[in-house]
Amino acid sequence: DSGVTQTPKHLITATGQRVTLRCSPRSGDLSVYWYQQSLDQGLQFLIQYYNGEERAKGNILERFSAQQFPDLHSELNLSSLELGDSALYFCASSVARGTEAFFGQGTRLTVV
Amino acid sequence: AQSVTQLDSQVPVFEEAPVELRCNYSSSVSVYLFWYVQYPNQGLQLLLKYLSGSTLVKGINGFEAEFNKSQTSFHLRKPSVHISDTAEYFCAVSEPGGSEKLVFGKGTKLTVNP
């Protein structure tokens, strides 16, 4: 158990819909990262938050957004979903620079 | 920009045989290097990391890796594998001092056969 909790574990939704994925980082970790894992693109960095503020952005679509709340949990919002958004979405957290990131179990999103 | 190349997409081996999973990276700056393992339907678990210091890094489950700066490689090795090592292995790089986001390779599927 990495200490990073993601909910829900599985999500099935229709095209055009909007979903929210939730991540609780390890206690004390200020940094939260979101990654997408798909068969064709592999593991790709989406976005990072540090202590409530956006720190880095990767290949995140405009239909996707994220935020980190004062209690440090984070949410990834995916809207106007398309079939190609079906993937495993991982959250990771780290305590500080120069330390490793710990990953959650992921949320498997299926868009039908 | 950083990139990671895992040279083998699949590696089949027999139980108790040695294994090496190859990883090369590209970066114009100094790097941190990681190996993660993903078991079926699981998240990513850190096997080992290189941040600085000794270039030979030992990790969990008997794995080790060697950082070779001149060859920009970070190959993962285990002298004797078990059936339970069957999983997908990802090499990743990050840039110290920046966001430290991970850039992953495409992964190597290790299958250990009896």
Side-chain angles (χ1 to χ4, degrees), chain A residues 1-66:
Chain A
D1 183 7
S2 67
V4 179
T5 303
Q6 290 188 248
T7 56
K9 284 188 171 43
H10 301 275
L11 198 48
I12 301 175
T13 189
T15 54
Q17 295 298 305
R18 173 190 166 93
V19 296
T20 297
L21 313 183
R22 182 188 169 101
C23 169
S24 294
R26 294 187 319 153
S27 177
D29 285 1
L30 299 178
S31 235
V32 169
Y33 304 80
W34 286 97
Y35 291 87
Q36 180 194 60
Q37 185 179 31
S38 62
L39 282 174
D40 51 347
Q41 298 290 327
L43 271 159
Q44 292 219 317
F45 167 72
L46 294 178
I47 196 163
Q48 179 204 4
Y49 278 82
Y50 180 84
N51 203 19
E53 296 195 0
E54 183 184 301
R55 173 165 277 180
K57 229 171 184 177
N59 297 323
I60 188 167
L61 299 171
E62 284 190 14
R63 301 183 283 110
F64 296 1
S65 64

Side-chain angles (χ1 to χ4, degrees), chain B residues 30-95:
Chain B
S30 60
V31 295
Y32 293 149
L33 292 156
F34 306 85
W35 275 98
Y36 283 86
V37 60
Q38 185 177 29
Y39 298 103
N41 301 313
Q42 299 280 320
L44 293 159
Q45 180 183 8
L46 181 69
L47 274 179
L48 47 80
K49 62 182 186 257
Y50 171 79
L51 302 181
S52 65
S54 172
T55 57
L56 183 61
V57 179
K58 292 192 185 298
I60 63 170
N61 301 341
F63 284 94
E64 65 179 35
E66 185 151 21
F67 170 52
N68 187 319
K69 190 174 181 180
S70 62
Q71 296 187 6
T72 59
S73 68
F74 191 56
H75 301 332
L76 180 70
R77 300 185 183 98
K78 186 169 181 177
S80 175
V81 295
H82 303 290
I83 300 282
S84 59
D85 292 322
T86 295
E88 187 135 27
Y89 293 78
F90 292 93
C91 181
V93 63
S94 71
E95 180 183 330

